[in-house]
Amino acid sequence: MAKDEKWFELSSEHFLLFTDTTEAKGRRLLADFENRVMAFSQTFGKVPPRQFPIEVFLFNNEPDYIEALPRVQGAEKLDKSAYLVRGPDRLFIVTKDKSPDDIANDVGHALGHALFERYVMWRPFWLAEGAAEYVRKIGRSPDTKKISEEDSFTAADLVTIVPSSNYNDNEPGGAFRAQSYRLLRILLEENSDLLQQYIQELRTEAEATPKIKIDTDAVHARLKSYVETLVKPPGVSPAIKSAEANLARLAIHRGDVLLATGRDSDAIRWYNADSKEARAARAIVIRFSRSPAEAIRVLDRVAREVPESGLVQYHFGAMEVQDKKDVQAQVAALERAIPLIPLMGRAYAELARVYALNGQAEKALPNIARALELEPEFADHFYAIRADVHVAREQFDQAFHDINIAASLPHSDRSAVERYVLKIYDVRKKIENARRQIDDRRLEQIRSEVAAEAARREPPPKPVPPPPPVPTGSISYQIEARAPIEVVDAIYPDYPEAVRKKGAAGAIALRVEVGPDGKVKTAAIASSQLPDLNAATLGAVKKWSFKPGNRSIRLIVTYSLQ
């Protein structure tokens, strides 16, 4: 950021704007956006407040604007003056220096979708498109061009069509978008009570997207003749605060918008300050740029060291972990997050998820209810979590009910449809495993009860006392000779365990002839109290050696028990 650049920060009820144009331009743009939100609220209902306002970057410099644009897929071109970007924890609008009318023409439709999905759980395609166009067209000259029969849809088709897998909301919507808007205008002008009742149905739980109860033939005839009229803006002057931007704070938010567009390495350039806010931002970007194992360790540490950062607590708590200690740390982090970011439904839902993993499933359901109330746009994710909570509580019918609703709800990313089909299979497997564990526990309980009853009726026999221990043995010898004789090497026989078990002990006397070299010439048993050991004793004695000299001796080998 150049040293001579001057940035302004402006805030209103629903938006936070940073600009390097002028304060006046920022005020005009925020006033325009707030009037669109007011018009939407007057028509559909008051939009629930957000934990973080929609952040708007109004760039004076074209390179700054281009750097902040969302990444594109395939041949898509970014040729508008403004875009809405969905970040990991909030929404952004990036725009170049154009008039509020031009900016709203380019981003008003996307803003309308963001407002509508914030208000309802179910989003039928026709009504989502109609509401989005309603926000875009506020204050604009009406489009009075007729739609040809060849391009038009019947009212019956309009209310049943769903977006294709390759639908791109940034592209012109064609006849379907125009007719959806006109159908909405007809209902607002001619049957507003029915429309309001239908919108309330979209805010409540159902098995599938509710269908509007209209006479499609009659509505189609009206649709063919309908001529658009101007939707006047409310003309309110919203409260707007403004000041020269703090550059350190601005840098964090510049990085945040780059993270939202998937430019992780560019984002981290803006987080190089030596402050708690920059440290927290660096930890969060690691979640999206490094391996899960590294991100878990970093976020865990920073969550403990910067406990006042609600977003760090949330992002750590939202990660998938395996270790029980990490789950417990996530519970603590998300419990810290709730008072810090009390309007962020996703924090409540993630706390419910880790409660279930931590054996505290009974505390989870109120958090899911609160999450659905605060952020209905993430209802698919919340219902999937609630299914896991019901599995943990062994409420299997409710679990299967919830995961099917999760799969039926609209997804912010249409590629998520396949993931939710896999989630249904995953929950089914969890239910099967849980039921098997319940059956195993019941079977083990039955076995224990049967064994206890059998023991009561027929006590088991007293156990056989263990056999007495086998005594240890020792071997000694005594020599009877006319003159003293010195033994050089005495080889002892084995005193087998089988003999000791019998308690056998005693002495064996041998007649031994010693040769001039000191070796035994002959040996024979003279008498024995242990015949079973005669052979072993005789064999051992024949290996003895004495001090050289011819001798005849009597050798008595004694076997004793300890």
Side-chain angles (χ1 to χ4, degrees):
M1 201 181 309
K3 291 183 178 180
D4 57 346
E5 279 187 315
K6 189 172 184 179
W7 282 77
F8 296 95
E9 177 179 336
L10 298 90
S11 60
S12 58
E13 182 180 359
H14 298 96
F15 299 91
L16 173 65
L17 182 144
F18 295 96
T19 184
D20 60 342
T21 58
T22 66
E23 182 183 6
K25 288 182 178 179
R27 282 183 174 276
R28 285 197 296 272
L29 183 56
L30 279 193
D32 180 88
F33 282 165
E34 287 291 355
N35 269 271
R36 292 176 193 278
V37 175
M38 176 66 74
F40 178 93
S41 297
Q42 291 173 348
T43 301
F44 296 94
K46 185 169 177 58
V47 179
R50 299 175 187 270
Q51 180 62 51
F52 303 103
I54 298 174
E55 294 191 17
V56 182
F57 276 86
L58 174 58
F59 290 108
N60 180 49
N61 296 318
E62 183 83 5
D64 290 340
Y65 170 71
I66 293 173
E67 181 188 41
L69 289 178
R71 294 188 184 277
V72 298
Q73 300 290 334
E76 182 183 356
K77 293 182 179 180
L78 298 177
D79 51 7
K80 295 182 179 180
S81 63
Y83 288 89
L84 185 138
V85 180
R86 298 176 184 271
D89 44 49
R90 77 203 94 147
L91 299 180
F92 299 86
I93 291 175
V94 292
T95 176
K96 63 174 67 174
D97 185 11
K98 295 286 185 179
S99 70
D101 189 60
D102 287 340
I103 292 170
N105 188 46
D106 281 341
V107 80
H109 184 84
L111 176 60
H113 273 297
L115 298 177
F116 184 68
E117 67 189 26
R118 185 75 177 177
Y119 190 66
V120 297
M121 182 185 304
W122 299 96
R123 302 189 288 275
F125 190 31
W126 74 271
L127 186 53
E129 284 290 278
E133 276 296 275
Y134 186 87
V135 172
R136 184 183 75 86
K137 290 196 172 192
I138 292 168
R140 294 189 66 81
S141 298
D143 181 3
T144 57
K145 181 181 178 182
K146 287 191 174 183
I147 299 172
S148 68
E149 289 288 339
E150 181 182 353
D151 293 333
S152 67
F153 297 86
T154 66
D157 287 339
L158 282 177
V159 298
T160 56
I161 288 174
V162 297
S164 63
S165 59
N166 60 353
Y167 174 76
N168 185 347
D169 195 63
N170 283 324
E171 295 177 355
F176 177 83
R177 182 174 291 179
Q179 285 187 283
S180 294
Y181 169 70
R182 291 174 183 179
L183 174 57
L184 171 62
R185 290 290 304 275
I186 290 169
L187 293 174
L188 284 171
E189 294 166 11
E190 302 176 8
N191 208 338
S192 61
D193 289 344
L194 174 66
L195 180 62
Q196 288 301 325
Q197 179 183 347
Y198 180 54
I199 290 172
Q200 291 308 309
E201 290 177 13
L202 300 178
R203 292 166 57 85
T204 58
E205 183 175 306
E207 299 290 337
T209 306
K211 305 295 183 185
I212 190 166
K213 301 176 182 64
I214 57 174
D215 182 343
T216 53
D217 291 337
V219 169
H220 182 66
R222 181 73 181 89
L223 191 62
K224 290 172 66 176
S225 62
Y226 181 76
V227 177
E228 290 184 23
T229 56
L230 175 69
V231 178
K232 294 182 179 180
V236 298
S237 298
I240 297 175
K241 296 179 181 179
S242 65
E244 190 170 336
N246 176 289
L247 294 184
R249 172 176 159 83
L250 173 63
I252 299 294
H253 288 266
R254 288 285 296 271
D256 292 347
V257 73
L258 292 173
L259 176 61
T261 60
R263 293 174 169 83
D264 307 337
S265 58
D266 293 327
I268 207 163
R269 289 189 293 110
W270 295 94
Y271 301 149
N272 58 7
D274 184 19
S275 65
K276 288 184 176 180
E277 293 77 12
R279 188 178 181 198
R282 289 194 294 270
I284 292 170
V285 80
I286 285 174
R287 179 187 176 192
F288 303 98
S289 59
R290 304 286 181 84
S291 69
E294 181 180 355
I296 288 167
R297 296 278 67 81
V298 170
L299 281 166
D300 182 16
R301 184 178 68 252
V302 177
R304 285 182 276 106
E305 294 173 352
V306 190
E308 64 271 30
S309 173
L311 277 178
V312 169
Q313 313 304 319
Y314 163 71
H315 281 288
F316 171 53
M319 295 198 69
E320 297 283 344
V321 301
Q322 303 297 325
D323 190 277
K324 184 69 173 178
K325 290 183 179 178
D326 288 335
V327 173
Q328 293 169 348
Q330 286 184 313
V331 169
L334 288 165
E335 287 179 338
R336 290 193 296 268
I338 296 299
L340 296 169
I341 46 176
L343 297 181
M344 191 172 184
R346 284 160 288 176
Y348 290 88
E350 294 301 336
L351 180 57
R353 179 182 66 84
V354 295
Y355 271 155
L357 293 175
N358 200 43
Q360 299 171 279
E362 71 283 353
K363 299 170 67 174
L365 291 179
N367 286 284
I368 295 291
R370 183 62 173 151
L372 287 166
E373 178 186 348
L374 290 171
E375 293 185 322
E377 63 265 46
F378 301 105
D380 54 345
H381 181 53
F382 299 162
Y383 270 88
I385 290 176
R386 197 168 83 173
D388 286 337
V389 170
H390 282 310
V391 172
R393 291 168 59 89
E394 299 180 358
Q395 298 168 333
F396 303 128
D397 290 342
Q398 295 97 316
F400 203 67
H401 170 265
D402 282 350
I403 195 60
N404 277 286
I405 290 180
S408 299
L409 281 162
H411 312 301
S412 58
D413 178 4
R414 279 179 293 279
S415 65
V417 173
E418 184 177 347
R419 291 203 306 272
Y420 277 89
V421 172
L422 295 176
K423 283 180 181 289
I424 293 176
Y425 174 78
D426 181 55
V427 169
R428 184 182 288 119
K429 293 295 292 183
K430 288 179 180 178
I431 291 173
E432 290 174 358
N433 292 335
R435 282 177 169 160
R436 190 177 300 114
Q437 291 172 3
I438 292 172
D439 290 343
D440 290 344
R441 289 198 302 268
R442 287 175 178 168
L443 180 59
E444 188 60 34
Q445 182 181 359
I446 290 170
R447 286 173 177 166
S448 299
E449 291 172 353
V450 169
E453 180 63 18
R456 186 187 67 81
R457 295 184 180 186
E458 185 178 345
K462 293 182 179 180
V464 178
V470 178
T472 58
S474 64
I475 303 174
S476 61
Y477 68 89
Q478 181 181 355
I479 297 175
E480 296 177 356
R482 292 181 179 180
I485 186 168
E486 183 180 342
V487 177
V488 175
D489 188 17
I491 307 298
Y492 289 95
D494 186 29
Y495 195 172
E497 181 180 323
V499 176
R500 287 183 280 116
K501 273 185 179 180
K502 296 176 183 178
I508 299 176
L510 300 95
R511 292 189 300 275
V512 179
E513 294 289 334
V514 179
D517 58 357
K519 293 182 179 180
V520 176
K521 292 170 58 179
T522 63
I525 302 294
S527 62
S528 175
Q529 296 173 334
L530 297 168
D532 289 343
L533 298 182
N534 285 355
T537 305
L538 187 61
V541 168
K542 286 181 177 180
K543 298 176 182 177
W544 285 33
S545 59
F546 300 84
K547 192 170 183 180
N550 290 320
R551 298 288 177 85
S552 293
I553 64 173
R554 179 182 173 86
L555 178 62
I556 301 169
V557 179
T558 302
Y559 294 83
S560 305
L561 293 175
Q562 305 296 319

